[in-house]
Amino acid sequence: VCSSDLATIAERERVASALRERGYAPAQSRANFLFLNVRQPAAELAERLLRLGVIIKPWGGSFASRIRVIIGRHEDNDHFLASLDECV
């Protein structure tokens, strides 16, 4: 495992923990993203986040309240978390 993979893993766990502290339950992940139920229409949340400079993947159909968040740099993830706080 290279150092960039280890950094991604650590950052994914940090963001997942921060989301759990906010009452979300991200699905287990071994990838560079998290998938979670935001308990509101994901497409609407995605639009609000986009206005704050955050791009997430909203899902549809029976997963219309779920989003996929790519794990990025520490500062980008902090921006996502702060923007999420502002949007909910």
Side-chain angles (χ1 to χ4, degrees):
V1 179
C2 70
S3 63
S4 65
D5 290 340
L6 292 175
T8 298
I9 291 166
E11 191 62 12
R12 181 187 66 220
E13 293 308 312
R14 184 184 76 84
V15 174
S17 178
L19 288 166
R20 284 190 292 274
E21 289 172 6
R22 289 164 169 79
Y24 298 102
Q28 289 282 35
S29 178
R30 295 184 60 125
N32 67 335
F33 63 86
L34 293 169
F35 186 68
L36 63 138
N37 184 346
V38 291
R39 304 179 303 267
Q40 61 179 290
E44 293 174 16
L45 176 62
E47 288 179 23
R48 293 194 306 274
L49 287 169
L50 185 58
R51 285 188 222 116
L52 297 172
V54 176
I55 300 171
I56 54 108
K57 166 73 171 143
W59 290 74
S62 61
F63 292 99
S65 64
R66 276 124 174 126
I67 63 171
R68 184 183 72 189
V69 180
I70 299 294
I71 300 300
R73 298 175 304 165
H74 185 93
E75 56 269 22
D76 296 328
N77 297 326
D78 283 348
H79 180 65
F80 159 69
L81 292 167
S83 297
L84 181 65
D85 291 343
E86 188 174 327
C87 287
V88 294

